[in-house]
Amino acid sequence: GASLVDPYSGKDVQSWRYLEDGLSATPNPDSPEDLTLIAKVNRSGVMKMMGRGEESKWAISSPDRAALLATLLFLRDITVDDEAHEPHSFMAHYALAGSGVPPQPVQLLMGPYWLRVSRPDGEARFDVLLQHLQRVRKLGDTPGGFAVRHMGQWHVFTCDERDPLMSALLAACASLGVALNLGCSIARPEIEAEAAAADSQRLSALGYFRVSKLPPAKPLVAPPALRNALSEPRGLVVTPLSLLECAVPEGGRVLASRPLSLLCGVLRSSSDPQRLTLLFADGGCDAYDCPARDALAAAVCAAAWAASNMSLAERDVLRRLAEAGFGQTGQNISEGHRPMSL
């Protein structure tokens, strides 16, 4: 079930059970942070069997609404009916924008809380959690083409059943309160240009660190392939405005990009001298093992502190310099600033 807990006393304020109380939740379309919890109360045994009873509604507000809804509804589904949401399967071709790799045949599984990209034989390649989906666009110059932006990267697909797939995707996002406006279609060269601009941010790197990225501690809202994931080698590039996660070796393509303006916490493990966890205001949480952990933490904090004190004009200049191929040094960007506290 689910409980509301007093953060000061640690005591339950209210508790509900998924099955017995018929707990469900819906996002409020008028607010990006509000949701409504709905439970059946004062039900007799017969009313429980019929699925009837008086409704009790609770208004909840959370900056991590999408992640909260995804976790709550996922646990509700596997508790009440493990087969309530069978994923829909679509055959497609996939390419990562800016990678230079030609499109490969894949199988797309559209679940209620995730989109899985698998090889044609069913072996999972990666999963996109819908609460982290940023944009969706149709490709106007590619029949059946569309692109999704996830963790700062554009993933490009072509599918003969594009419209049913996108309808299912948007409906699943809406159930989590993730508002995605399709807007106008976009051309493939525009996607590639944006991917190249993100990749060019490495030219303004303040530091490069070899790390091992750890899977989420309890990734409940994910298929088994993600829940059983192992740590992966990565390169973290700290730039004046972003934190880039890249494939190894050094110079590998950018896999994810996080703006430093969203960084809200840098946690060093007291039991593991290499463990570092980064917390973001959008609900993201990334854990890494790094031999130079303290140097990485200091670089991230100093860059984030400097970025938070830049004017919009200074940020625009840095962005244009990066896009034009001119880098910035650590001394130029952090001179005169003290690092953030860890």
Side-chain angles (χ1 to χ4, degrees):
S3 301
L4 289 178
V5 179
D6 187 324
Y8 300 103
S9 65
K11 296 181 179 179
D12 286 356
V13 177
Q14 181 70 35
S15 297
W16 305 273
R17 292 166 293 182
Y18 294 120
L19 183 60
E20 292 82 352
D21 297 325
L23 181 63
S24 63
T26 58
N28 184 341
D30 299 324
S31 171
E33 296 187 355
D34 293 349
L35 61 109
T36 302
L37 294 180
I38 305 173
K40 306 291 185 179
V41 296
N42 300 326
R43 298 197 296 171
S44 65
V46 175
M47 295 181 71
K48 289 181 180 180
M49 293 178 61
M50 297 176 64
R52 297 180 180 178
E54 300 177 10
E55 285 189 348
S56 171
K57 296 184 178 181
W58 290 68
I60 307 293
S61 181
S62 170
D64 302 326
R65 181 179 70 174
L68 172 59
L69 279 170
T71 302
L72 188 149
L73 295 178
F74 173 79
L75 292 174
R76 189 273 313 271
D77 289 346
I78 64 174
T79 301
V80 177
D81 185 359
D82 195 16
E83 300 181 357
H85 296 285
E86 288 294 329
H88 300 286
S89 176
F90 302 88
M91 299 307 296
H93 282 76
Y94 162 75
L96 178 66
S99 66
V101 178
Q104 303 292 323
V106 296
Q107 183 184 42
L108 299 180
L109 293 179
M110 185 67 248
Y113 318 111
W114 45 263
L115 174 67
R116 173 187 286 183
V117 180
S118 304
R119 293 182 173 85
D121 61 4
E123 181 183 354
R125 293 184 58 177
F126 64 91
D127 300 281
V128 174
L129 300 186
L130 299 186
Q131 65 261 37
H132 295 152
L133 205 57
Q134 296 165 315
R135 293 173 64 192
V136 178
R137 288 289 184 271
K138 290 183 179 180
L139 298 181
D141 57 351
T142 306
F146 69 98
V148 299
R149 193 170 189 268
H150 177 255
M151 298 293 290
Q153 287 291 313
W154 280 106
H155 302 270
V156 181
F157 303 91
T158 55
C159 178
D160 292 338
E161 300 179 89
R162 178 183 67 181
D163 291 342
L165 170 58
M166 295 193 70
S167 296
L169 176 64
L170 294 177
C173 288
S175 69
L176 301 180
V178 178
L180 293 175
N181 183 5
L182 283 178
C184 300
S185 60
I186 192 171
R188 178 65 181 270
E190 295 180 63
I191 295 288
E192 296 292 341
E194 187 172 328
D199 195 65
S200 68
Q201 294 181 66
R202 286 184 298 188
L203 298 174
S204 58
L206 304 176
Y208 177 87
F209 299 87
R210 291 289 295 269
V211 300
S212 292
K213 183 175 183 180
L214 305 176
K218 295 181 179 180
L220 295 175
V221 188
L226 182 58
R227 295 201 297 270
N228 300 328
L230 302 176
S231 61
E232 298 178 298
R234 290 285 188 265
L236 278 186
V237 178
V238 183
T239 78
L241 299 179
S242 304
L243 183 66
L244 308 180
E245 188 177 299
C246 304
V248 294
E250 188 170 355
R253 72 174 187 269
V254 176
L255 301 176
S257 174
R258 287 279 199 177
L260 289 173
S261 59
L262 292 180
L263 184 68
C264 61
V266 179
L267 308 179
R268 295 182 297 175
S269 171
S270 59
S271 58
D272 189 333
Q274 296 190 8
R275 184 67 47 82
L276 183 73
T277 302
L278 304 179
L279 307 177
F280 297 89
D282 61 358
C285 176
D286 296 323
Y288 304 95
D289 281 343
C290 179
R293 180 194 68 176
D294 291 346
L296 171 58
V300 170
C301 287
W305 190 90
S308 67
N309 286 275
M310 287 183 196
S311 67
L312 294 177
E314 289 173 320
R315 296 188 186 200
D316 186 61
V317 168
L318 284 174
R319 179 183 61 80
R320 292 176 182 274
L321 284 171
E323 293 175 355
F326 295 95
Q328 296 290 316
T329 66
Q331 287 76 18
N332 287 341
I333 196 62
S334 60
E335 183 177 0
H337 296 299
R338 61 174 178 81
M340 294 172 60
S341 299
L342 297 176

